[in-house]
Amino acid sequence: MASKTVAINDLVPGISAYESLAGRDLCSISDFSPTEVAAVMELAHALKAHPERYRWALDAKQMVMFFEKASLRTRLTFETAINSLGGSAIFVDQTQSPLGERESLADIARNLERWVSIIVLRTYAHETITEMAQYASVPVINALSDLEHPCQAMADFLTLEQRFGSVRGLKFTYVGDGNNVCHSLMLMAAQLGAHCTIGTPKNYAPKADVVAQARAIANVTGSDITLVSDPVAAVTDADAVYTDVCTSMGFEHEATKRAPIFKPYQVNETLMSHAAPHAVFMHCLPAHRNAEVTDAVLDGPQSAVFDQAENRMHAQKALLLLLLGGAKAGLRAQG
C-alpha cells in the first residue's frame, strides 16, 4: 500500500492545513510542514480554551493503542483525549512481546484497518511505526519510539506558546542525552522558527541525520540549530531550558557508565542562573529526581513540567481531530 504521507510541495494551493492532514500519519515531526505544525498548535489552543465545542467531533471513532513500553502520561492523555471528543479507546499491552513477533506487522495492519479509525503505537523500534503506517490505510501516530517522541514535543511547544506567545525567535535549549525526545524537540523548534541549542556530552549528540533534517527545515523558517558540549554555554540567556533522563528505556544497562558523564549536565539552580531571568524549566517526565534535575528546579517557580503534562492531552486531541478529519465539527460549533 502506498504511503499516506504528503510532501510539502505536493500540497494543492488553497487547501487548508486542516484538510491536508486528514488521513495522514505522524511518525515524525518532519512528516508535517511548518504550516501544518502551526495548524496543530492553533487547534490545540482552541481545544484547551473551548473543549465543549468539540464534544462529539469524533463520535463513534475507535482508537487502538499498542504499547511495548510502560506509560502514565501517554496512555491516559490519549484515552482522555478521544473519550472527550466522543470516541473510544482500546488498549493492548505489548510489554511482554513486541509487535510483529506473533504475527507480521503487515497482517496486523490489515486487520486493524477493518476495525478501528486510528492506530497509536508506543514502541522500541521506530521501524515498527513506519511499517505499520506503510500497510495500514488508517492514520498511525507515533506515541514514542527509539527515534522520536513527536506528541511530547508538540505538547512542549504548546506550553511555550502559552508562556511566551509566538515562539519564533525564542531561545530554546536542551541539555542531556541526544535521545528521541531531543530529536523531536529539535525538529519542532525548527518547524516553528525557534532557535534551538543542544548541549550534550561528546559521544551522546543527537543523530546526524536528524540534525540535518532539522537544519533543512530551519533554513526555511529562519531558525538556528546549534550543537555544543558545554552545558553553561548551552543555557546562557536561554528562554527555556529542557532536560530528560540520561538513561532512556532500553538503555538501563548503561546507567552506571552514564552517571558520571552526565553529572555536569544536571539542571540545578546554578546552571539555571545562566539562563534568562524569565526562563522556564521543562522536562517530559518521569524525572529521576536529583539526577538530571534537582528538586529545587523541578519543583521551583520556573518549572513548567505539569503544564507540559496537561498539554499532552490538548495537543493529542488536536492531532486526533486533524488526522481523523473532525476539526471542522468544532469550527461549525463556533459559527
Side-chain angles (χ1 to χ4, degrees):
M1 182 175 295
S3 171
K4 300 184 290 299
T5 58
V6 179
I8 295 172
N9 293 335
D10 292 336
L11 295 178
V12 178
I15 294 181
S16 72
Y18 280 17
E19 293 171 326
S20 74
L21 287 169
R24 299 266 294 282
D25 304 311
L26 176 64
C27 300
S28 165
I29 292 291
S30 62
D31 289 342
F32 293 178
S33 73
T35 300
E36 290 166 342
V37 170
V40 177
M41 296 292 100
E42 178 185 51
L43 182 57
H45 286 297
L47 282 157
K48 186 169 185 177
H50 298 287
E52 72 283 355
R53 295 176 177 173
Y54 300 83
R55 181 64 186 91
W56 303 109
L58 296 183
D59 187 29
K61 297 292 186 181
Q62 300 276 359
M63 176 183 71
V64 67
M65 301 184 294
F66 288 86
F67 281 26
E68 295 178 354
K69 295 184 177 184
S71 172
L72 172 65
R73 279 154 296 279
T74 300
R75 177 178 177 178
L76 292 179
T77 55
F78 263 111
E79 288 184 346
T80 55
I82 198 162
N83 289 342
S84 66
L85 295 170
S88 59
I90 303 164
F91 178 76
V92 183
D93 185 351
Q94 293 285 159
T95 55
Q96 301 305 309
S97 60
L99 277 163
E101 184 174 81
R102 178 174 174 268
E103 189 171 0
S104 75
L105 288 170
D107 286 352
I108 294 171
R110 287 163 177 155
N111 278 271
L112 294 177
E113 66 187 15
R114 305 294 182 101
W115 306 324
V116 302
S117 309
I118 195 163
I119 302 166
V120 177
L121 303 177
R122 182 176 171 92
T123 70
Y124 285 94
H126 188 71
E127 292 74 18
T128 299
I129 294 169
T130 55
E131 188 173 343
M132 186 73 79
Q134 177 185 354
Y135 289 107
S137 62
V138 297
V140 172
I141 295 178
N142 177 357
L144 182 141
S145 71
D146 58 3
L147 184 65
E148 276 201 54
H149 198 352
C151 297
Q152 180 68 54
M154 288 183 169
D156 296 334
F157 275 83
L158 180 66
T159 305
L160 289 171
E161 287 187 346
Q162 289 173 340
R163 292 290 182 108
F164 296 102
S166 172
V167 297
R168 185 168 296 279
L170 183 91
K171 294 181 179 179
F172 176 85
T173 289
Y174 174 95
V175 291
D177 185 24
N179 59 13
N180 50 0
V181 172
C182 174
H183 291 155
S184 286
L185 289 169
M186 187 168 50
L187 290 165
M188 191 70 181
Q191 294 275 28
L192 293 174
H195 300 310
C196 180
T197 299
I198 306 295
T200 66
K202 184 178 179 181
N203 295 320
Y204 295 89
K207 290 182 179 295
D209 58 337
V210 180
V211 175
Q213 275 186 318
R215 285 179 169 158
I217 297 168
N219 286 336
V220 175
T221 61
S223 67
D224 295 318
I225 307 296
T226 305
L227 272 58
V228 299
S229 58
D230 181 352
V232 173
V235 305
T236 298
D237 297 326
D239 297 307
V241 177
Y242 197 118
T243 195
D244 188 13
V245 294
C246 302
T247 307
S248 299
M249 285 184 283
F251 293 89
E252 290 84 358
H253 60 286
E254 295 185 10
T256 301
K257 171 189 172 183
R258 287 179 176 231
I261 296 171
F262 283 92
K263 187 174 181 181
Y265 295 83
Q266 182 191 70
V267 181
N268 49 41
E269 289 175 296
T270 299
L271 189 62
M272 280 297 294
S273 71
H274 294 280
H278 59 259
V280 297
F281 169 74
M282 308 182 78
H283 193 301
C284 55
L285 301 179
H288 294 162
R289 287 176 172 268
N290 299 309
E292 74 272 7
V293 58
T294 59
D295 283 345
V297 172
L298 189 66
D299 298 324
Q302 291 173 284
S303 179
V305 298
F306 298 113
D307 291 335
Q308 295 171 253
E310 177 189 347
N311 284 334
R312 288 292 302 278
M313 179 179 66
H314 303 301
Q316 288 159 196
K317 285 173 77 171
L319 271 176
L320 291 170
L321 278 167
L322 289 165
L323 300 187
L324 290 172
K328 287 185 176 180
L331 293 175
R332 287 194 297 270
Q334 296 180 47

